[in-house]
Amino acid sequence: MIYIAAPLFNPRERAFNLKLKAIIGRSVYLPQEDGELMENLIRRGETVEYAADLVYKNDLRALHASEAMVAVLDGAHLD
């Protein structure tokens, strides 16, 4: 599996990530699809602390299970 580390703070960034996933064409972990998004967790009533911890743990688990990472280091917010 390949982990895609990329900004996902707005629809344009998320659309780019989806295109990148399609180009890779292999098993990919894309946090916006396979993990949780802070904004969705908070909208569902979770605390910021719980949401941040859950996102961190899910992403860390996926990173450990991945054989490679593609990091997008472009944009206003490098994450």
Side-chain angles (χ1 to χ4, degrees):
M1 172 171 66
I2 296 175
Y3 185 101
I4 296 180
L8 44 76
F9 300 107
N10 62 55
R12 185 188 58 75
E13 292 171 337
R14 292 182 195 150
F16 177 84
N17 299 342
L18 290 171
K19 289 177 188 174
L20 182 58
K21 177 182 177 180
I23 290 168
I24 292 172
R26 292 185 50 189
S27 175
V28 168
Y29 181 89
L30 184 58
Q32 71 195 51
E33 289 186 334
D34 304 311
E36 297 279 357
L37 293 176
M38 289 283 296
E39 65 188 63
N40 294 344
L41 291 166
I42 292 168
R43 191 176 306 121
R44 290 195 313 240
E46 303 296 350
T47 65
V48 171
E49 294 81 13
Y50 175 81
D53 187 58
L54 183 61
V55 167
Y56 170 77
K57 287 178 180 173
N58 284 343
D59 288 350
L60 189 59
R61 189 173 16 256
L63 280 167
H64 285 277
S66 297
E67 50 189 288
M69 175 196 298
V70 171
V72 177
L73 302 176
D74 185 33
H77 302 283
L78 298 181
D79 189 28

